[in-house]
PDB file of all heavy atoms in Angstrom:
ATOM      1  N   VAL A 101     -82.829  56.099 -14.295  1.00 96.00           N
ATOM      2  CA  VAL A 101     -83.417  56.287 -12.966  1.00 96.00           C
ATOM      3  C   VAL A 101     -84.896  55.943 -13.080  1.00 96.00           C
ATOM      4  O   VAL A 101     -85.454  55.913 -14.182  1.00 96.00           O
ATOM      5  CB  VAL A 101     -83.236  57.727 -12.439  1.00 96.00           C
ATOM      6  CG1 VAL A 101     -81.788  58.015 -12.133  1.00 96.00           C
ATOM      7  CG2 VAL A 101     -83.794  58.742 -13.430  1.00 96.00           C
ATOM      8  N   VAL A 102     -85.528  55.698 -11.942  1.00 93.00           N
ATOM      9  CA  VAL A 102     -86.941  55.316 -11.908  1.00 93.00           C
ATOM     10  C   VAL A 102     -87.777  56.530 -11.538  1.00 93.00           C
ATOM     11  O   VAL A 102     -87.416  57.305 -10.640  1.00 93.00           O
ATOM     12  CB  VAL A 102     -87.154  54.169 -10.901  1.00 93.00           C
ATOM     13  CG1 VAL A 102     -88.633  53.917 -10.663  1.00 93.00           C
ATOM     14  CG2 VAL A 102     -86.489  52.896 -11.432  1.00 93.00           C
ATOM     15  N   GLN A 103     -88.900  56.686 -12.217  1.00 90.00           N
ATOM     16  CA  GLN A 103     -89.769  57.830 -11.980  1.00 90.00           C
ATOM     17  C   GLN A 103     -90.968  57.501 -11.098  1.00 90.00           C
ATOM     18  O   GLN A 103     -91.726  58.388 -10.734  1.00 90.00           O
ATOM     19  CB  GLN A 103     -90.284  58.391 -13.316  1.00 90.00           C
ATOM     20  CG  GLN A 103     -89.193  58.924 -14.226  1.00 90.00           C
ATOM     21  CD  GLN A 103     -89.760  59.832 -15.284  1.00 90.00           C
ATOM     22  OE1 GLN A 103     -89.720  61.050 -15.157  1.00 90.00           O
ATOM     23  NE2 GLN A 103     -90.292  59.239 -16.337  1.00 90.00           N
ATOM     24  N   ASN A 104     -91.165  56.231 -10.745  1.00 81.00           N
ATOM     25  CA  ASN A 104     -92.338  55.869  -9.955  1.00 81.00           C
ATOM     26  C   ASN A 104     -92.330  56.523  -8.581  1.00 81.00           C
ATOM     27  O   ASN A 104     -91.280  56.865  -8.026  1.00 81.00           O
ATOM     28  CB  ASN A 104     -92.398  54.349  -9.759  1.00 81.00           C
ATOM     29  CG  ASN A 104     -92.535  53.594 -11.062  1.00 81.00           C
ATOM     30  OD1 ASN A 104     -91.638  53.648 -11.890  1.00 81.00           O
ATOM     31  ND2 ASN A 104     -93.637  52.890 -11.242  1.00 81.00           N
ATOM     32  N   THR A 105     -93.526  56.628  -7.989  1.00 73.00           N
ATOM     33  CA  THR A 105     -93.673  57.068  -6.605  1.00 73.00           C
ATOM     34  C   THR A 105     -93.853  55.844  -5.717  1.00 73.00           C
ATOM     35  O   THR A 105     -94.101  54.722  -6.185  1.00 73.00           O
ATOM     36  CB  THR A 105     -94.892  57.987  -6.445  1.00 73.00           C
ATOM     37  OG1 THR A 105     -96.088  57.222  -6.682  1.00 73.00           O
ATOM     38  CG2 THR A 105     -94.831  59.158  -7.412  1.00 73.00           C
ATOM     39  N   LEU A 106     -93.781  56.044  -4.408  1.00 61.00           N
ATOM     40  CA  LEU A 106     -93.980  54.938  -3.466  1.00 61.00           C
ATOM     41  C   LEU A 106     -95.399  54.392  -3.555  1.00 61.00           C
ATOM     42  O   LEU A 106     -95.641  53.206  -3.321  1.00 61.00           O
ATOM     43  CB  LEU A 106     -93.663  55.409  -2.044  1.00 61.00           C
ATOM     44  CG  LEU A 106     -92.183  55.663  -1.760  1.00 61.00           C
ATOM     45  CD1 LEU A 106     -92.000  56.263  -0.375  1.00 61.00           C
ATOM     46  CD2 LEU A 106     -91.379  54.379  -1.850  1.00 61.00           C
ATOM     47  N   ASP A 107     -96.369  55.269  -3.892  1.00 67.00           N
ATOM     48  CA  ASP A 107     -97.748  54.787  -4.071  1.00 67.00           C
ATOM     49  C   ASP A 107     -97.819  53.775  -5.207  1.00 67.00           C
ATOM     50  O   ASP A 107     -98.542  52.778  -5.132  1.00 67.00           O
ATOM     51  CB  ASP A 107     -98.685  55.962  -4.368  1.00 67.00           C
ATOM     52  CG  ASP A 107     -98.911  56.838  -3.139  1.00 67.00           C
ATOM     53  OD1 ASP A 107     -98.667  56.346  -2.021  1.00 67.00           O
ATOM     54  OD2 ASP A 107     -99.337  57.996  -3.304  1.00 67.00           O
ATOM     55  N   ASP A 108     -97.072  54.034  -6.281  1.00 73.00           N
ATOM     56  CA  ASP A 108     -97.036  53.087  -7.397  1.00 73.00           C
ATOM     57  C   ASP A 108     -96.527  51.730  -6.937  1.00 73.00           C
ATOM     58  O   ASP A 108     -97.065  50.686  -7.307  1.00 73.00           O
ATOM     59  CB  ASP A 108     -96.141  53.616  -8.518  1.00 73.00           C
ATOM     60  CG  ASP A 108     -96.699  54.874  -9.165  1.00 73.00           C
ATOM     61  OD1 ASP A 108     -97.923  54.997  -9.227  1.00 73.00           O
ATOM     62  OD2 ASP A 108     -95.893  55.723  -9.578  1.00 73.00           O
ATOM     63  N   PHE A 109     -95.479  51.719  -6.117  1.00 71.00           N
ATOM     64  CA  PHE A 109     -94.919  50.457  -5.633  1.00 71.00           C
ATOM     65  C   PHE A 109     -95.918  49.711  -4.769  1.00 71.00           C
ATOM     66  O   PHE A 109     -96.006  48.487  -4.807  1.00 71.00           O
ATOM     67  CB  PHE A 109     -93.630  50.719  -4.851  1.00 71.00           C
ATOM     68  CG  PHE A 109     -92.508  51.303  -5.679  1.00 71.00           C
ATOM     69  CD1 PHE A 109     -91.563  52.133  -5.112  1.00 71.00           C
ATOM     70  CD2 PHE A 109     -92.412  51.028  -7.025  1.00 71.00           C
ATOM     71  CE1 PHE A 109     -90.544  52.674  -5.866  1.00 71.00           C
ATOM     72  CE2 PHE A 109     -91.395  51.561  -7.802  1.00 71.00           C
ATOM     73  CZ  PHE A 109     -90.464  52.388  -7.221  1.00 71.00           C
ATOM     74  N   GLU A 110     -96.692  50.448  -3.959  1.00 73.00           N
ATOM     75  CA  GLU A 110     -97.680  49.797  -3.105  1.00 73.00           C
ATOM     76  C   GLU A 110     -98.772  49.154  -3.945  1.00 73.00           C
ATOM     77  O   GLU A 110     -99.217  48.036  -3.674  1.00 73.00           O
ATOM     78  CB  GLU A 110     -98.276  50.818  -2.134  1.00 73.00           C
ATOM     79  CG  GLU A 110     -99.143  50.179  -1.066  1.00 73.00           C
ATOM     80  CD  GLU A 110     -99.447  51.129   0.083  1.00 73.00           C
ATOM     81  OE1 GLU A 110     -98.878  52.232   0.118  1.00 73.00           O
ATOM     82  OE2 GLU A 110    -100.242  50.739   0.942  1.00 73.00           O
ATOM     83  N   LYS A 111     -99.210  49.841  -5.003  1.00 75.00           N
ATOM     84  CA  LYS A 111    -100.222  49.265  -5.891  1.00 75.00           C
ATOM     85  C   LYS A 111     -99.682  48.023  -6.573  1.00 75.00           C
ATOM     86  O   LYS A 111    -100.396  47.041  -6.762  1.00 75.00           O
ATOM     87  CB  LYS A 111    -100.637  50.296  -6.931  1.00 75.00           C
ATOM     88  CG  LYS A 111    -101.451  51.466  -6.370  1.00 75.00           C
ATOM     89  CD  LYS A 111    -101.763  52.477  -7.449  1.00 75.00           C
ATOM     90  CE  LYS A 111    -102.496  53.691  -6.871  1.00 75.00           C
ATOM     91  NZ  LYS A 111    -102.745  54.727  -7.904  1.00 75.00           N
ATOM     92  N   MET A 112     -98.421  48.059  -6.957  1.00 74.00           N
ATOM     93  CA  MET A 112     -97.809  46.884  -7.585  1.00 74.00           C
ATOM     94  C   MET A 112     -97.870  45.685  -6.643  1.00 74.00           C
ATOM     95  O   MET A 112     -98.163  44.555  -7.058  1.00 74.00           O
ATOM     96  CB  MET A 112     -96.354  47.172  -7.954  1.00 74.00           C
ATOM     97  CG  MET A 112     -96.152  48.150  -9.096  1.00 74.00           C
ATOM     98  SD  MET A 112     -94.381  48.328  -9.459  1.00 74.00           S
ATOM     99  CE  MET A 112     -94.384  49.830 -10.425  1.00 74.00           C
TER     100      MET A 112
END
Side-chain angles (χ1 to χ4, degrees):
V101 291
V102 170
Q103 297 198 99
N104 298 64
T105 67
L106 289 174
D107 289 340
D108 294 328
F109 296 150
E110 189 166 353
K111 290 177 184 177
M112 290 183 197

